[in-house]
Amino acid sequence: MNKIYALLLLSFCMMLSSCKLHTSHNGDLDGLWQVMVKENLATEETVDMRDYHSTWSVQGDLLIMQMDGSPSIIFRFSHKDGTLLLYDPYISGRFGESATDVKLEDANVLVPYGLSALEEYLKVITLNSDDMILESSTSRLVFRKY
């Protein structure tokens, strides 16, 4: 009987060791964020973004931006030292007829999202479990977490 228990224990340990858990180190950044306000830093013009259904979804090392009337954009990102670096953008084909993501080459596509470059550094002004404020060279973005 002891041999059966030992064999079961060994099998269980082997199953656990074969699984890799991928955990995120994003903390409060992970999740679904609604863009509430976009402010142009040069003109101080503010836009209430709630009617545009603008969201950022953060998981692992991917950030997906979605907004009514604009294509979905997928970025890779790095979050450290109070900075969020967005890079390697693609226009997503995951939510339309095409299943192919296309490399984004034109930064003008990002303007409705409050971004101005294909590689964007955002200063993290506020980040907690409910609120986030990010600031680029051109915009301040205010979020609430869903």
Side-chain angles (χ1 to χ4, degrees):
M1 199 56 134
N2 286 339
K3 289 182 182 181
I4 292 174
Y5 287 125
L7 184 58
L8 286 173
L9 181 62
L10 179 62
S11 298
F12 181 72
C13 289
M14 288 177 62
M15 285 187 337
L16 287 179
S17 67
S18 67
C19 297
K20 284 187 178 180
L21 294 176
H22 294 280
T23 59
S24 167
H25 299 287
N26 296 329
D28 287 334
L29 183 62
D30 268 345
L32 182 61
W33 294 92
Q34 179 186 18
V35 184
M36 302 294 287
V37 175
K38 177 177 73 170
E39 180 182 350
N40 182 313
L41 295 177
T43 65
E44 297 183 0
E45 173 190 6
T46 61
V47 177
D48 184 342
M49 296 297 291
R50 291 176 291 186
D51 291 336
Y52 294 95
H53 302 108
S54 182
T55 60
W56 290 22
S57 178
V58 178
Q59 184 176 4
D61 66 346
L62 293 179
L63 184 149
I64 301 175
M65 298 176 181
Q66 294 181 294
M67 181 174 13
D68 288 351
S70 296
S72 297
I73 307 294
I74 301 172
F75 275 97
R76 294 219 177 267
F77 73 90
S78 172
H79 175 225
K80 58 183 163 189
D81 300 327
T83 303
L84 183 64
L85 168 63
L86 306 181
Y87 63 95
D88 198 21
Y90 281 79
I91 296 175
S92 175
R94 299 167 195 223
F95 307 108
E97 294 177 12
S98 170
T100 304
D101 298 335
V102 178
K103 181 99 171 141
L104 183 60
E105 303 288 342
D106 181 8
N108 289 324
V109 174
L110 301 172
V111 171
Y113 295 98
L115 305 177
S116 59
L118 298 175
E119 183 174 287
E120 188 83 60
Y121 286 90
L122 300 162
K123 183 177 178 184
V124 179
I125 306 297
T126 301
L127 177 58
N128 58 50
S129 61
D130 298 317
D131 304 297
M132 178 168 64
I133 300 173
L134 302 176
E135 197 170 274
S136 72
S137 60
T138 59
S139 300
R140 181 177 297 119
L141 302 166
V142 179
F143 299 82
R144 77 170 176 105
K145 196 171 228 178
Y146 276 122

